[in-house]
Amino acid sequence: QVQLQESGPGLVKPSQTLSLTCTVSGGSISSGDYYWSWIRQPPGKGLEWIGYIYYVGSTDYNPSLKSRATMSVDTSKNQFSLKLNSVTAADTAVYYCARETLRGQVFAFDFWGQGTLVTVSS
Amino acid sequence: EIVLTQSPANLSLSLGERATLSCRASQTLSRFLAWYQQKPGQAPRLLIYDTSYRATGIPARFSGSGSGTDFTLTISSLEPEDSAVYYCQQRSKWRTFGQGTKLEIK
């Protein structure tokens, strides 16, 4: 069974960079059958897709965050990461990493991490 | 950007009743509309993929239908554990989620 686990600071100061890592276990991040995404959820609000990375390093981002978000992958550690710069209080949210399956007909987020709350505050 | 509008925002029904949740897209979706269930303090769980296929382990009382711009999630006979927020999601252009329908079981 695939498991995803987010890690990183729970508190970030305004204007600084938010950095999170997702560690994948129970499966290889290098499989060509998946995209690896970050999705966030402000407290009491809905879900917002941030972007995905493919194991070879190709990425796609939500246009609303593209100028501030950077994703990377480390296949040797079975991890992928998110950096979001110039954060403000509006970036306070639970951040989830998730796997999007590309094979068969699934093409959806079938495995999620438990989420990690990141608060932007001085 | 494709906007997904879910209705109703809130739904309160009794045990055993049928729930019908709607998701309307601002543009025609090629395929691959999904539905997720989220309970408080938990990550979303995939219920339905490609409009009408149940994900692994999802009970048969959950079903999905629709095409084009109009999609529906139906729960045929509500159980207490179905109380949750339900989101639709598209991947025709980037990825976007609806704003959610909160389902309460009376």
Side-chain angles (χ1 to χ4, degrees):
Chain A
Q1 181 83 335
V2 171
Q3 292 186 314
L4 293 84
Q5 179 67 57
E6 305 89 351
S7 59
L11 181 64
V12 181
K13 289 182 167 50
S15 79
Q16 294 193 343
T17 297
L18 177 159
S19 296
L20 295 173
T21 295
C22 182
T23 301
V24 179
S25 58
S28 174
I29 203 170
S30 299
S31 168
D33 289 336
Y34 311 112
Y35 287 151
W36 303 94
S37 279
W38 289 97
I39 296 162
R40 69 180 183 178
Q41 185 171 38
K45 296 187 178 181
L47 300 162
E48 180 180 37
W49 175 73
I50 300 170
Y52 73 69
I53 190 163
Y54 194 45
Y55 77 102
V56 295
S58 53
T59 56
D60 196 10
Y61 298 104
N62 185 323
S64 69
L65 295 167
K66 186 173 184 175
S67 63
R68 297 195 293 129
T70 303
M71 295 178 65
S72 59
V73 63
D74 187 336
T75 55
S76 67
K77 295 182 178 179
N78 230 31
Q79 295 176 334
F80 63 105
S81 298
L82 169 70
K83 290 187 186 299
L84 187 66
N85 61 33
S86 305
V87 297
T88 70
D91 295 309
T92 293
V94 174
Y95 285 75
Y96 296 100
C97 55
R99 186 186 85 171
E100 181 180 10
T101 289
L102 308 176
R103 67 167 182 264
Q105 292 170 280
V106 180
F107 291 89
F109 300 110
D110 56 354
F111 284 94
W112 297 65
Q114 65 185 28
T116 187
L117 175 63
V118 178
T119 301
V120 178
S121 175
S122 56
Chain B
E1 179 188 348
I2 296 178
V3 176
L4 299 179
T5 303
Q6 292 186 240
S7 60
N10 295 281
L11 189 57
S12 182
L13 295 170
S14 299
L15 284 174
E17 284 196 295
R18 182 185 191 90
T20 302
L21 286 65
S22 173
C23 177
R24 177 163 289 178
S26 59
Q27 302 174 33
T28 296
L29 302 183
S30 55
R31 279 180 73 182
F32 305 124
L33 184 102
W35 290 91
Y36 301 85
Q37 176 192 66
Q38 187 179 33
K39 296 181 179 180
Q42 296 183 17
R45 176 175 72 147
L46 177 64
L47 295 176
I48 300 288
Y49 62 87
D50 196 9
T51 301
S52 60
Y53 294 86
R54 280 188 302 278
T56 302
I58 302 303
R61 65 180 183 274
F62 290 91
S63 63
S65 63
S67 65
T69 60
D70 291 303
F71 299 85
T72 301
L73 174 69
T74 302
I75 311 172
S76 60
S77 179
L78 287 167
E79 300 283 344
E81 61 268 28
D82 298 335
S83 180
V85 179
Y86 293 84
Y87 294 96
C88 56
Q89 176 249 325
Q90 66 82 27
R91 70 182 307 279
S92 292
K93 189 171 185 181
W94 295 298
R95 315 286 184 269
T96 55
F97 293 86
Q99 84 280 14
T101 290
K102 185 174 183 179
L103 174 61
E104 176 196 46
I105 311 300
K106 288 188 284 191

